[in-house]
Amino acid sequence: MKLRVIGLMSGTSLDGIDAALVDIDGSGTADLSWKLIEFVSVPYTAEQRRLIHDAIVRGGTAAICEVHALLGEWFADAALAVCERARVTAVDVDVIGSHGQTVWHRPPKDGARGATLQIGDPATIAERTGIPVVSDFRSRDVAAGGEGAPLVAWMDRALFSVPSRRRVLQNIGGMGNLTWLPAREDAQPLLAFDTGPGNALIDAAVEIATRGLHTYDEGGARAARGTVDRALLDELLAHEFFAHKPPRSTGREIFGRPYVERLIQRVAPTSEAEWDNLIATLTALTAHSIARACHDWLSERGFDEVVVTGGGARNATLMRMIQDLLKPVPVLPGDTLGIDADAKEALAFAAFAWAHVHRIPANVPEATGAEGLRVLGSFTPGAAERTPLEFVTPT
Amino acid sequence: MKLRVIGLMSGTSLDGIDAALVDIDGSGTADLSWKLIEFVSVPYTAEQRRLIHDAIVRGGTAAICEVHALLGEWFADAALAVCERARVTAVDVDVIGSHGQTVWHRPPKDGARGATLQIGDPATIAERTGIPVVSDFRSRDVAAGGEGAPLVAWMDRALFSVPSRRRVLQNIGGMGNLTWLPAREDAQPLLAFDTGPGNALIDAAVEIATRGLHTYDEGGARAARGTVDRALLDELLAHEFFAHKPPRSTGREIFGRPYVERLIQRVAPTSEAEWDNLIATLTALTAHSIARACHDWLSERGFDEVVVTGGGARNATLMRMIQDLLKPVPVLPGDTLGIDADAKEALAFAAFAWAHVHRIPANVPEATGAEGLRVLGSFTPGAAERTPLEFVTPT
């Protein structure tokens, strides 16, 4: 069924809300087609970032509750902004897919199920926009014994696999995750897992180094000026996560600001040059963790190109490091996919809402380790005066 | 449409999970009929109580996330327990309505919208039981400018109004809330609002007095032995909440353990008799707040009987105090309603799930202050192999 869908994404980088307006058509995964109509990225203000960050890090119930409601308002604003940019009225949008903001995520461990918590009130999004909302895509996969991540694998295959080439889609947001896609004509299972930190550690180091003046290493300029501390890098790469066999997932609980704070206490950079060296080393950590993931888990399958999306694709130093480590395989920027590289995650959550309405399972058990296929997300109705959305029963 | 529904409730008292299995039939509010098939109340273990309490009081994103998942498991267990007791298989249950556990609730204030957060993962309930779940009933009303409470007013009228008598339904859980119902033949609006603390303060005082050995004043025995400190009672009744014109709602954020801890620091009871006096005074506070609510806001409308449900109905001292204050109006125990008095809240959330599936708005704007009628809750699908539930479009 053809639906006009908005996908909303607020990643672990806390840089803002991405909203993609997409037309999606088809009867299932095999014949799914899509057209990106418009994309906006609404950056958080410093105050918004602070509120979210404090709620996540300090975690008082009152603060989490308040930010849950506020994020709902901001997500709604972003959805209305992408409509306005596209000159589409909200009543003409069929459904919104909202990933929400992950405040905590613990993968399954030692036989115990995982736990995950996303906030960003879907009732508020539905109330402000009038559009029905599908939200909280991770929880069902986690309840079924999965990692709840990486989530985007289903959409990666449906939307971005290509004939006769084996593609790696490497997303670098706060965390890094990859999806290995066989050539389109090849029916073998895909593979997807988290590679480790994306920009989160680099961002935290820049923010501490500049006392909050900058929140990321623009273009990778500081990393380019610095020198990688090879001994420190080897030590950081010895973290058990990087040796973990997929399925695997990670988050700020492991690779977050406290990790960087501990590192700074040890390294104690005093000059700008020493800060640059630390930033270069953390950039190399992301690059090496990605390259190692490709070597360790994709060598047997083989891969013909690596396409990088997310904010990390704009860090030239990081891109160069990854290319050096993976040559001769080409490492390409995300616009290779025919979309703004930043739009990919938001597009994914639009596709997830489409899948929910069609009762199509959108988790990939080989990627998450879940017991089986599951329909993801919860549905919150739109305005009462709307014609209710009909759910499609898979045939 | 006739649906077999399970309602799940975990109240602010943190005493356990109530599960009601109900058959509900009708095409709308006017012709709704119901039959309670089975009811179970599964008490929390001391460890479960401690986990929930710590997550709510101390917060911490990790703790809230873990308890969100755990509560999902425990809610699922309670749903399966009521099925087993009734010898009904889960596949024959159409939908579950789960209120979840409120971890924070801030009503609208000074023109700013309210915020509310319920946990107890619906995806986990759906995964374990295979039954679709409607959850999070408060949020939409809050997003529409309402208090998100009291929620049960719609069900109170649909299920419990009677011909030619004006009824007050007073629920005494952790908090107290009442619904004033005109006689069944009378079309005038109902009135519903929170009366203030229910058992929460009494329970906290008993728990502190007995160092956790007891968690409530069984039968009101301690309050019966104690003497009410009239001066202290008058001071407590001077709290601004009790003068607040409805719509109004409250919670543990105001009348919770910290409130009792501050009181104990001042009163500093040393003997058992002094503790009994404090417990008697807190019991009188609940009784007086209920009586005052009836006098202040229901006198003009008039009321012919007061029916008390929830755990407070089993506190004989509290019931006697309320009766003394409201005579000659009869104060009746909840079984007057033809159901176990404890089952009423769980029954309400079953009715809410039924309403959601029928796209019937279940908030009462006169009671919550919301801008208008809203369909409440979010829908999480059941097992994939089930015949999907059809949503009914209101005619």
Side-chain angles (χ1 to χ4, degrees):
Chain A
M1 179 167 62
K2 184 168 176 177
L3 294 179
R4 180 156 283 188
V5 194
I6 293 173
L8 296 173
M9 172 69 193
S10 171
T12 40
S13 285
L14 301 184
D15 40 13
I17 300 167
D18 294 335
L21 180 66
V22 205
D23 281 341
I24 308 181
D25 200 0
S27 63
T29 309
D31 68 343
L32 188 146
S33 66
W34 58 278
K35 185 174 183 305
L36 184 67
I37 301 169
E38 191 58 85
F39 172 71
V40 296
S41 194
V42 185
Y44 287 128
T45 64
E47 173 66 7
Q48 287 175 321
R49 270 174 75 96
R50 191 189 60 74
L51 282 167
I52 303 169
H53 190 268
D54 284 1
I56 293 179
V57 172
R58 294 196 198 135
T61 20
I64 293 174
C65 175
E66 296 292 346
V67 171
H68 177 53
L70 285 171
L71 277 169
E73 300 284 351
W74 302 336
F75 287 148
D77 290 344
L80 295 173
V82 78
C83 286
E84 199 183 332
R85 174 90 63 94
R87 296 171 182 270
V88 163
T89 57
V91 279
D92 293 324
V93 178
D94 296 298
V95 64
I96 289 174
S98 174
H99 174 256
Q101 180 72 50
T102 300
V103 293
W104 196 261
H105 181 71
R106 181 187 53 74
K109 202 180 164 187
D110 307 327
R113 59 159 291 172
T116 189
L117 184 65
Q118 271 67 235
I119 59 172
D121 181 32
T124 295
I125 306 173
E127 178 68 20
R128 294 289 169 268
T129 63
I131 306 168
V133 176
V134 185
S135 61
D136 195 13
F137 298 100
R138 279 192 205 277
S139 295
R140 189 58 168 273
D141 185 83
V142 171
E147 304 257 326
L151 270 180
V152 296
W154 169 78
M155 191 221 44
D156 280 346
R157 183 170 209 155
L159 273 53
F160 299 120
S161 71
V162 280
S164 42
R165 287 205 311 285
R166 296 156 301 181
R167 229 177 200 182
V168 177
L169 299 181
Q170 173 70 49
N171 181 63
I172 307 180
M175 298 298 128
N177 61 281
L178 70 74
T179 304
W180 174 86
L181 297 172
R184 174 150 279 189
E185 64 277 10
D186 182 349
Q188 73 168 298
L190 58 77
L191 181 68
F193 57 91
D194 282 3
T195 51
N199 304 312
L201 304 180
I202 305 167
D203 292 353
V206 171
E207 200 161 350
I208 296 168
T210 63
R211 293 167 196 267
L213 195 66
H214 298 288
T215 55
Y216 66 103
D217 182 16
E218 196 174 346
R222 298 200 63 157
R225 283 199 299 272
T227 307
V228 174
D229 178 338
R230 187 69 220 195
L232 178 60
L233 174 63
D234 285 343
E235 191 194 316
L236 299 179
L237 283 168
H239 190 290
E240 57 170 7
F241 176 79
F242 302 117
H244 201 302
K245 193 182 173 196
R248 68 186 202 188
S249 63
T250 191
R252 279 175 191 276
E253 303 74 27
I254 296 175
F255 299 112
R257 197 181 169 99
Y259 177 104
V260 177
E261 284 168 350
R262 284 193 303 273
L263 200 56
I264 288 170
Q265 278 199 323
R266 266 185 53 197
V267 177
T270 50
S271 66
E272 282 300 291
E274 283 174 11
W275 277 109
D276 288 344
N277 295 344
L278 181 65
I279 291 162
T281 306
L282 289 171
T283 305
L285 176 62
T286 293
H288 279 259
S289 64
I290 290 168
R292 178 167 167 190
C294 293
H295 286 136
D296 286 359
W297 311 114
L298 308 181
S299 287
E300 264 183 51
R301 290 172 172 85
F303 52 102
D304 304 301
E305 62 185 31
V306 175
V307 182
V308 180
T309 56
R314 288 193 303 275
N315 183 325
T317 310
L318 178 59
M319 288 293 281
R320 181 180 48 72
M321 287 178 174
I322 299 170
Q323 179 63 83
D324 284 350
L325 292 164
L326 288 178
K327 65 187 168 201
V329 174
V331 175
L332 308 165
D335 52 19
T336 309
L337 302 176
I339 54 163
D340 182 331
D342 295 333
K344 182 169 165 278
E345 298 277 296
L347 179 59
F349 294 103
F352 277 14
W354 183 91
H356 178 97
V357 171
H358 289 74
R359 294 286 184 256
I360 293 173
N363 67 332
V364 177
E366 310 95 72
T368 65
E371 284 165 25
L373 293 164
R374 295 292 185 272
V375 175
L376 305 181
S378 298
F379 183 89
T380 303
E385 60 273 19
R386 275 186 167 239
T387 309
L389 195 61
E390 274 183 48
F391 289 83
V392 183
T393 308
T395 45
Chain B
M1 178 168 62
K2 184 169 176 177
L3 294 179
R4 180 156 283 187
V5 193
I6 293 173
L8 296 175
M9 173 68 193
S10 171
T12 40
S13 285
L14 301 184
D15 40 13
I17 301 166
D18 293 336
L21 179 67
V22 206
D23 281 342
I24 308 181
D25 200 359
S27 63
T29 310
D31 68 342
L32 187 147
S33 66
W34 58 279
K35 185 174 183 303
L36 183 68
I37 300 169
E38 191 59 84
F39 172 71
V40 296
S41 194
V42 185
Y44 287 129
T45 63
E47 174 66 7
Q48 287 175 321
R49 269 176 76 94
R50 190 189 62 73
L51 282 167
I52 302 169
H53 190 268
D54 284 1
I56 294 179
V57 173
R58 293 196 200 138
T61 25
I64 294 173
C65 176
E66 297 291 346
V67 170
H68 178 53
L70 285 171
L71 277 169
E73 301 283 352
W74 302 336
F75 287 148
D77 290 344
L80 295 173
V82 79
C83 287
E84 197 184 332
R85 175 89 63 93
R87 295 171 182 271
V88 163
T89 57
V91 279
D92 292 324
V93 177
D94 296 298
V95 64
I96 289 173
S98 174
H99 174 256
Q101 179 72 50
T102 299
V103 292
W104 196 262
H105 182 70
R106 181 187 53 75
K109 202 179 165 187
D110 306 327
R113 59 159 292 173
T116 189
L117 184 65
Q118 273 67 235
I119 59 171
D121 181 31
T124 296
I125 307 174
E127 178 67 21
R128 294 290 169 266
T129 63
I131 305 169
V133 176
V134 185
S135 60
D136 195 12
F137 298 100
R138 278 192 206 277
S139 295
R140 188 57 169 273
D141 185 83
V142 171
E147 303 257 327
L151 270 180
V152 296
W154 170 79
M155 191 221 45
D156 281 347
R157 184 169 207 155
L159 274 53
F160 299 120
S161 71
V162 281
S164 47
R165 289 205 310 285
R166 296 156 301 180
R167 229 175 200 184
V168 177
L169 299 181
Q170 172 69 49
N171 181 63
I172 307 179
M175 297 298 127
N177 62 280
L178 70 73
T179 305
W180 175 86
L181 296 173
R184 173 150 281 188
E185 65 277 10
D186 183 348
Q188 73 168 299
L190 57 76
L191 182 68
F193 56 91
D194 282 4
T195 52
N199 304 312
L201 304 180
I202 306 167
D203 291 353
V206 170
E207 201 162 348
I208 296 168
T210 63
R211 293 166 196 267
L213 195 65
H214 298 288
T215 56
Y216 66 102
D217 182 16
E218 195 175 345
R222 298 200 63 158
R225 281 198 299 272
T227 306
V228 174
D229 179 337
R230 187 69 219 195
L232 178 60
L233 174 62
D234 285 343
E235 191 194 315
L236 300 179
L237 283 167
H239 190 290
E240 59 170 6
F241 176 79
F242 302 117
H244 202 302
K245 192 181 172 197
R248 69 185 201 188
S249 63
T250 191
R252 281 177 188 276
E253 303 75 26
I254 296 176
F255 299 112
R257 198 183 169 99
Y259 178 104
V260 176
E261 284 168 350
R262 285 193 302 272
L263 201 56
I264 288 170
Q265 278 199 324
R266 267 186 52 198
V267 177
T270 49
S271 65
E272 282 300 291
E274 284 174 11
W275 276 109
D276 287 345
N277 295 345
L278 180 65
I279 291 161
T281 305
L282 289 171
T283 305
L285 175 62
T286 293
H288 279 259
S289 65
I290 290 168
R292 178 167 168 193
C294 292
H295 286 135
D296 285 359
W297 310 113
L298 308 182
S299 287
E300 264 183 52
R301 290 172 171 85
F303 52 101
D304 303 300
E305 62 184 32
V306 176
V307 182
V308 181
T309 55
R314 288 192 303 274
N315 182 325
T317 309
L318 177 59
M319 288 293 280
R320 181 180 48 73
M321 286 178 175
I322 299 170
Q323 179 62 85
D324 284 350
L325 292 164
L326 289 178
K327 64 188 168 199
V329 175
V331 176
L332 307 166
D335 52 19
T336 308
L337 302 176
I339 54 164
D340 183 331
D342 295 334
K344 180 168 166 281
E345 297 278 295
L347 179 58
F349 293 102
F352 277 14
W354 184 90
H356 178 96
V357 172
H358 289 73
R359 293 286 184 256
I360 294 172
N363 67 332
V364 177
E366 309 95 74
T368 65
E371 283 164 26
L373 292 164
R374 296 292 185 272
V375 175
L376 305 181
S378 297
F379 184 89
T380 304
E385 61 273 18
R386 275 186 167 239
T387 308
L389 195 60
E390 275 183 46
F391 288 82
V392 182
T393 309
T395 45

